[in-house]
Amino acid sequence: MLPEKEAWNFNMNTSFQRSPRGPATESEFAEKIVQINRVSKKTKGGNKIGFSVLVVAGDRKGRVGVGLGGAPDVSSAVRKAVTYAKKHLITVPMRGTTIPHEIRLKRGAAQILLKPAPPGTGVIAGGAVRAVVEAAGIRDIVSKILGSKNQASNVYATLEALKHFKIRKRV
């Protein structure tokens, strides 16, 4: 008797799903690993090694979240970070495929400038801002990272900037 065929679905985040009956379904969330840090703690028995992972998750329809997970191995840390990001989503107000207005925000040492762009411009952004903006589903934006080179600080500053948009209500 032959074993049942199995399908494996690999995506860019090194996570996979196993399905005994055909290919696995895609998750509704786009997940992007921004940073992986190897951390160690000195104990009397030696060094205890672990990993800290920063992940951005979004549905590409205006909702995005950021999660930081730590665990002894990378895959567990990624899973924790994704779970946290999905539980703490924010809704980003959008005007078409771009943002409602320009915003400049300082959070800690990180300073972020986000500007709306006409359709067809694309995402003009650095790595940390790009991850957050693409996960949120914004397709046309111009941005600049000022101040800090720290990826985590820039991700959190971008998320904070996306929370501060104001939309005019039509009367």
Side-chain angles (χ1 to χ4, degrees), residues 15-16 18 20 23 58-59 86 110 137 145 148 153 159 164-166:
S15 65
F16 57 89
R18 185 175 163 195
D59 64 355
K86 286 180 181 178
I145 297 172
S148 177
S153 293
L159 197 70
H164 280 78
F165 284 125
K166 292 178 177 48

Side-chain angles (χ1 to χ4, degrees), residues 9-41:
N9 181 23
F10 291 91
N11 60 18
M12 295 300 290
N13 311 345
T14 67
S15 65
F16 57 89
Q17 298 169 338
R18 185 175 163 195
S19 166
R21 292 182 184 84
T25 57
E26 277 284 319
S27 170
E28 68 171 292
F29 288 96
E31 301 156 7
K32 177 82 172 122
I33 297 172
V34 178
Q35 185 177 21
I36 300 177
N37 275 341
R38 189 175 144 233
V39 295
S40 71
K41 179 183 179 182

Side-chain angles (χ1 to χ4, degrees), residues 114 122-131 133 141-145:
L114 301 175
V123 176
I124 300 172
V129 175
R130 178 179 291 270
V133 162
I141 191 168
V142 176
S143 74
K144 182 70 182 158
I145 297 172

Side-chain angles (χ1 to χ4, degrees), residues 51-132:
F51 294 91
S52 171
V53 178
L54 183 70
V55 173
V56 175
D59 64 355
R60 296 183 193 265
K61 296 175 191 161
R63 294 190 314 157
V64 66
V66 176
L68 186 65
D73 60 300
V74 176
S75 61
S76 298
V78 169
R79 198 174 328 107
K80 283 183 183 179
V82 168
T83 303
Y84 186 88
K86 286 180 181 178
K87 285 181 182 175
H88 296 85
L89 293 172
I90 65 160
T91 304
V92 180
M94 290 179 16
R95 182 178 293 150
T97 60
T98 189
I99 55 179
H101 56 83
E102 181 178 325
I103 189 163
R104 186 177 191 145
L105 184 118
K106 184 168 169 61
R107 185 184 188 274
Q111 193 169 357
I112 303 293
L113 172 67
L114 301 175
K115 287 181 169 183
T121 305
V123 176
I124 300 172
V129 175
R130 178 179 291 270
V132 176

